[in-house]
């Protein structure tokens, strides 16, 4: 049985002696046959501002609205319960010191009961069956033939719980308005306390106030407004012998303005993740900052970046499956790649304990574009993955005829080491250098981490290995001994770059002497660093003036957007980026009206302009002497060579060659590398990468008996942000990695400041 306790109102008495209670508030209290009067009063005292000693309890006898019966002892209390034993509820009146009816208006003409104030809505008592969701009681419709449940009356709730001006504009927080009536008042039922807490959280957000728990137990919950002195309060507890939870007490009116919801317990990862799940589904690339902004706008909820990021991660896991499930999908995923893109290769390997080791992906469209339209030049590089299980992305990127990055293959590995690079190159060789393919490939890559040895072993004499100048300069700076100033280090690195670009031996030696003048040790380091692998004066392959391996910077930006996805989703995201890139460049190139690609066309025109100032002196067969400024160069037309080495290094005729060609009526366009012609560019992007359908439902496929179940790698991401060395797109220059060292303002020494200077401290 539920006792509806009325408090704070007055009685109106009619001429016939009947009384009606008007105003005040109502509270619900559970009753059972074992309850005593003291316990009943204590339950009431916890919800209203009235002591047990000052409390007077009265009630009407069934069918009698003229006489109020006072409950003063346990026997009276048991008699009251006995009178209503066949009912589901009874109505009692809580008073303070004054007897019932003392303030009733006597000798007044009969009149109708007073109506509630205009801003109060009164809910009637209705009969309902238990509902599956917590909703307003007066919205229920029940079949009286099939239910015996009687729901207690809901108390009057103010339609404006904030009598003062609201903080937020009505045009804001529109999404939260759907929760304004999620809590209706006394008597509302919920299936569990968790459901009640969820409703309470939404209700507080909709009405823009914070709350604190006074009691938060497994049987009851009492909550009050966080604002000091605000009377808003609610109490709910489980009904006896059931798991249902009922609101027993509610003071619905605030005297505070309410504040934007900032309470940290309302920003739980799972709760916010479920709230934004549909948004993440519609916009997978939405950023945490955008999520925080939208939640602030739509719900008035303040989240920091970390909270928004974790909520997005939770929502993504709910939509796409967990990271762990993604690894078990790898066998089906690789099959789907090769099924939808014939001629492609998707291969993975596991460790002895069946945990993930590495995954290699190379699409047929990329291989075809490289073999038929790109220069035989590949850039090998790596970038860390900021994913739950860390790892590295190894990439092989080519250069198209417009000097744009063309992704050829990539792999996800657990770490960058000799073994993984060897495996990656083993998978790559049959794709980019099939049997019977003429020519040699030039690789621009680091010379450490096993790449040098693996290239020699796997490709042998079929390739050239050009050391990445960026990695070389970084290692020089790291290996330098002694306290060199920032300017001294900068000059040595700049001289190293100049030595690498020098086309002739004399220029190379001059740059090395400049390094020797600063540091003989640095000079010896340069001489021992195998210049035949990085200096233009000695290198035997063709790298078309590309000196660094970070040509695949496009991959870095793609991975930064997708590396928090489960592994199969990340790979499919990269596939989608490659598919879009190929399609976009194919369409754009159809508008080109020149013979060469735009960037090469511009470079050639610049050389043509300079060629007008070149003087052709004399000819010796196919060789010509030319003078440009104070320099005399020799041009060999038949062998497409010039002593300045510009023609060989870039693939475009230099200004000296152009002067000779134009004098003899030949077109410079006919003497450009074929890879720079628009026709070859079209071949590069002729094939397409096809979508992989239903990536998110790969696990619906039944696993064959005996199949190995791939598990995640044992290493998980450590707390905090992953440190990634950011490299600007394009070529790496000396200033991209040199950091200015501290210099003491007193002794001028390096590596410390004036405060930590030993000379000053010794004094």
């Amino acid at each position: 049985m539920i006792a509806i306790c009325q408090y704070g109102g007055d009685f109106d008495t009619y001429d016939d002696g009947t009384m009606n209670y008007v105003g005040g508030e109502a509270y619900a209290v559970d009753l059972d046959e074992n309850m005593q009067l003291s316990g009943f009063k204590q339950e009431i005292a916890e919800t209203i501002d009235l002591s047990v000693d000052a409390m007077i309890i009265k009630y009407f006898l069934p069918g009698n609205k003229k006489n109020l019966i006072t409950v003063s002892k346990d026997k009276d209390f048991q008699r009251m319960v006995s009178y209503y034993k066949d009912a589901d509820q009874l109505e009692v009146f809580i008073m303070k010191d004054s007897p019932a009816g003392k303030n009733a208006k006597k000798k007044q003409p009969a009149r109708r009961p007073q109506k509630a104030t205009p801003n109060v809505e009164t809910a009637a008592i209705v009969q309902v069956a238990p509902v599956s969701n917590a909703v307003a009681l007066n919205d229920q419709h029940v079949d009286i033939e099939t239910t015996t449940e009687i729901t207690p009356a809901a108390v009057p709730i103010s339609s404006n719980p904030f009598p003062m001006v609201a903080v937020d504009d009505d045009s804001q927080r529109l999404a939260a308005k759907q929760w304004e009536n999620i809590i209706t008042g006394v008597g509302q039922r919920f299936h569990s306390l968790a459901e009640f807490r969820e409703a309470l959280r939404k209700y507080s957000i909709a009405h823009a106030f914070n709350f604190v728990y006074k009691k938060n137990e497994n049987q009851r919950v009492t909550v009050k407004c966080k604002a000091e002195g605000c009377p808003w309060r609610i109490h709910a507890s489980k009904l006896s012998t059931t798991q249902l939870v009922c609101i027993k007490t509610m003071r619905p009116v605030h005297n505070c303005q309410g504040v934007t919801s900032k309470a940290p317990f309302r920003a739980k990862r799972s709760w916010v993740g479920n709230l934004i799940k549909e948004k993440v589904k519609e916009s997978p690339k939405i950023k945490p900052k955008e999520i925080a902004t939208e939640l602030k706008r739509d719900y008035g909820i303040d989240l920091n970046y970390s909270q928004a990021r974790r909520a997005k991660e939770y929502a993504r896991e709910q939509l796409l499956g967990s990271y762990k499930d993604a690894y078990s999908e790898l066998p089906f995923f690789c099959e789907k790649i090769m099924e939808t893109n014939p001629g492609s290769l998707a291969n993975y390997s596991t460790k002895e304990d069946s945990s993930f080791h590495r995954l290699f992906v190379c699409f047929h469209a990329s291989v075809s574009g490289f073999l038929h339209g790109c220069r035989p030049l590949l850039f090998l590089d790596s970038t860390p993955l900021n994913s739950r299980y860390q790892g590295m992305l190894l990439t092989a990127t080519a250069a198209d005829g417009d000097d744009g990055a063309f992704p050829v293959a990539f792999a996800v590995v657990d770490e960058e080491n000799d073994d993984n690079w060897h495996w990656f190159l083993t998978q790559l060789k049959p794709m980019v250098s099939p049997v019977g393919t003429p020519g040699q490939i030039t690789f621009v890559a680091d010379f450490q981490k096993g790449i040098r040895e693996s290239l020699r072993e796997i490709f042998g004499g079929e390739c050239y290995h050009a050391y990445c100048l960026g990695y070389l300069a970084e290692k020089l700076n790291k290996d330098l001994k002694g306290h060199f100033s920032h300017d001294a280090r900068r000059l040595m690195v700049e001289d190293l770059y100049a030595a690498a670009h020098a086309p002739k031996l004399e220029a190379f030696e001059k740059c090395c002497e400049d390094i020797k003048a600063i540091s003989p040790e640095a000079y010896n380091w340069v001489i021992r660093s195998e210049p035949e692998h990085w200096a233009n004066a000695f290198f035997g392959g063709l790298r078309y003036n590309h000196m660094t391996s970070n040509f695949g910077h496009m991959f870095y930006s793609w991975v930064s957007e997708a590396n928090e996805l489960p592994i199969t989703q990340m790979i499919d995201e990269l596939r989608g980026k490659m598919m879009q890139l190929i399609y976009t460049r194919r369409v754009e190139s159809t508008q080109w009206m020149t013979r060469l690609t735009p960037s090469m066309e511009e470079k050639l025109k610049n050389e043509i302009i300079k060629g007008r100032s070149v003087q052709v002196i004399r000819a010796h067969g196919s060789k010509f002497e030319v003078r440009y400024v104070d320099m005399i160069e020799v041009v060999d037309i038949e062998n497409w060579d010039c002593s300045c080495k510009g023609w060989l290094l870039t693939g475009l005729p230099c200004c000296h060659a152009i002067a000779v060609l134009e004098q003899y009526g030949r077109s410079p366009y006919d003497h450009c590398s074929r890879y720079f012609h628009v026709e070859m560019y079209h071949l590069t992007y002729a094939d397409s990468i096809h979508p992989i359908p239903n990536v998110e439902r790969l696990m619906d496929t039944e696993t064959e008996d005996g199949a190995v179940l791939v598990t995640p790698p044992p290493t998980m991401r450590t707390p905090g942000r992953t440190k990634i060395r950011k490299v600007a797109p394009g070529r790496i220059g000396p200033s991209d990695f040199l950091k200015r060292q501290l210099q003491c303002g007193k002794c001028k020494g390096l590596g410390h400041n004036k405060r930590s200077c030993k000379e000053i401290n010794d004094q």
Side-chain angles (χ1 to χ4, degrees), residues 322-386:
S322 68
Y323 286 82
K324 182 177 180 180
D325 292 340
Y327 285 97
S328 61
E329 296 171 359
L330 280 178
F332 312 108
F333 182 67
C334 292
E335 290 178 6
K336 283 290 185 181
I337 289 178
M338 293 185 287
E339 177 184 330
T340 55
N341 292 269
S344 302
L345 177 62
N347 192 16
Y348 73 95
S349 68
T350 60
K351 297 182 179 179
E352 293 181 358
D353 59 356
S354 299
S355 63
F356 173 79
H357 192 188
R358 47 204 177 190
L359 168 68
F360 176 87
V361 178
C362 182
F363 291 98
H364 172 73
S366 298
V367 173
S368 176
F370 172 73
L371 294 176
H372 298 106
C374 291
R375 289 161 273 182
L377 175 66
L378 283 175
F379 304 87
L380 304 179
D381 205 2
S382 63
T383 184
L385 297 175
N386 187 27

Side-chain angles (χ1 to χ4, degrees), residues 438-475:
Q440 295 175 311
I441 299 176
T442 297
F443 290 92
V444 182
D446 191 4
F447 53 91
Q448 296 176 313
K449 299 171 183 174
I451 298 179
R452 176 172 52 187
E453 293 75 12
S454 296
L455 284 174
R456 291 174 181 172
E457 178 182 343
I458 297 170
F459 286 86
E462 301 177 14
C463 76
Y464 291 97
H465 182 190
Y467 294 167
C468 171
L469 187 56
Y471 285 115
L472 190 72
E474 191 172 22
K475 182 167 177 51

Side-chain angles (χ1 to χ4, degrees), residues 499-556:
H501 284 90
K504 299 180 181 180
L505 178 61
E506 297 80 6
F508 173 83
E509 291 177 344
K510 181 182 181 305
C511 294
C512 291
E513 290 297 324
D514 291 339
I515 295 176
K516 187 176 183 180
I518 300 174
S519 169
E521 293 80 6
Y523 169 80
N524 293 332
W525 187 97
V526 171
I527 297 302
R528 292 194 301 268
S529 63
E530 300 176 298
E532 65 273 15
H533 285 282
W534 54 269
N536 281 337
F538 306 103
F539 188 65
L542 294 175
R543 53 183 168 179
Y544 298 88
N545 221 24
H546 287 285
M547 310 295 285
T548 59
S549 63
N550 78 320
F551 197 73
H553 59 82
M554 179 192 313
F555 267 118
Y556 311 154

Side-chain angles (χ1 to χ4, degrees), residues 487-723:
D487 289 337
R489 290 175 180 270
R490 176 179 56 81
L491 290 174
M492 283 189 285
V493 171
E494 288 179 352
D495 289 337
L496 177 67
Y497 267 70
H501 284 90
K504 299 180 181 180
L505 178 61
E506 297 80 6
F508 173 83
E509 291 177 344
K510 181 182 181 305
C511 294
C512 291
E513 290 297 324
D514 291 339
I515 295 176
K516 187 176 183 180
I518 300 174
S519 169
E521 293 80 6
Y523 169 80
N524 293 332
W525 187 97
V526 171
I527 297 302
R528 292 194 301 268
S529 63
E530 300 176 298
E532 65 273 15
H533 285 282
W534 54 269
N536 281 337
F538 306 103
F539 188 65
L542 294 175
R543 53 183 168 179
Y544 298 88
N545 221 24
H546 287 285
M547 310 295 285
T548 59
S549 63
N550 78 320
F551 197 73
H553 59 82
M554 179 192 313
F555 267 118
Y556 311 154
S557 62
W558 289 352
V559 170
S560 66
E561 298 176 4
N563 60 12
E564 291 188 2
L565 291 169
I567 184 169
T568 52
Q569 306 297 328
M570 181 186 71
I571 298 301
D572 191 56
E573 183 69 19
L574 295 178
R575 178 208 57 78
K577 293 287 188 181
M578 295 170 62
M579 180 179 69
Q580 182 63 35
L581 176 73
I582 290 175
Y583 173 78
T584 301
R585 289 183 177 176
R586 181 195 305 145
V587 173
E588 289 176 351
S589 65
T590 59
Q591 307 298 319
W592 296 348
M593 305 304 294
T594 55
R595 290 184 61 183
L596 302 183
T597 60
S599 64
M600 298 304 167
E601 183 77 21
E602 182 179 356
K603 291 180 181 179
L604 182 62
K605 287 182 177 179
N606 290 334
E607 293 297 319
I608 291 175
I609 294 174
K610 290 192 294 184
R612 296 169 184 168
S613 302
V614 176
Q615 179 183 2
V616 180
I617 302 176
R618 64 179 65 86
H620 303 282
S622 63
K623 297 183 178 180
F624 297 82
E625 288 187 31
V626 299
R627 175 180 289 133
Y628 181 64
V629 191
D630 295 332
M631 299 293 296
I632 295 179
E633 305 290 351
V634 177
V635 178
D636 188 344
I637 296 296
E638 296 301 326
N639 294 316
W640 291 28
D641 188 27
C642 178
S643 58
C644 74
K645 299 299 180 182
W647 200 349
L648 176 66
L649 294 176
T650 64
L652 293 172
C654 58
C655 61
H656 315 115
I658 290 174
V660 175
L661 291 171
E662 290 187 339
Q663 180 170 333
Y664 285 86
R666 297 188 184 184
S667 172
Y669 289 92
D670 295 332
H671 292 76
C672 296
S673 171
R674 64 190 180 94
Y675 299 109
F676 300 152
H677 286 262
V678 173
E679 291 81 4
M680 296 295 289
Y681 190 92
H682 289 162
L683 291 176
T684 303
Y685 297 97
D687 291 337
S688 300
I689 295 177
H690 304 294
I692 304 173
N694 302 324
V695 173
E696 66 276 8
R697 294 195 295 271
L698 288 174
M699 284 306 294
D700 293 343
T701 306
E702 294 185 1
T703 305
E704 297 180 0
D705 294 338
V708 176
L709 183 64
V710 183
T711 60
T715 304
M716 289 189 66
R717 185 177 65 196
T718 55
R721 179 178 297 179
T722 303
K723 294 183 179 180

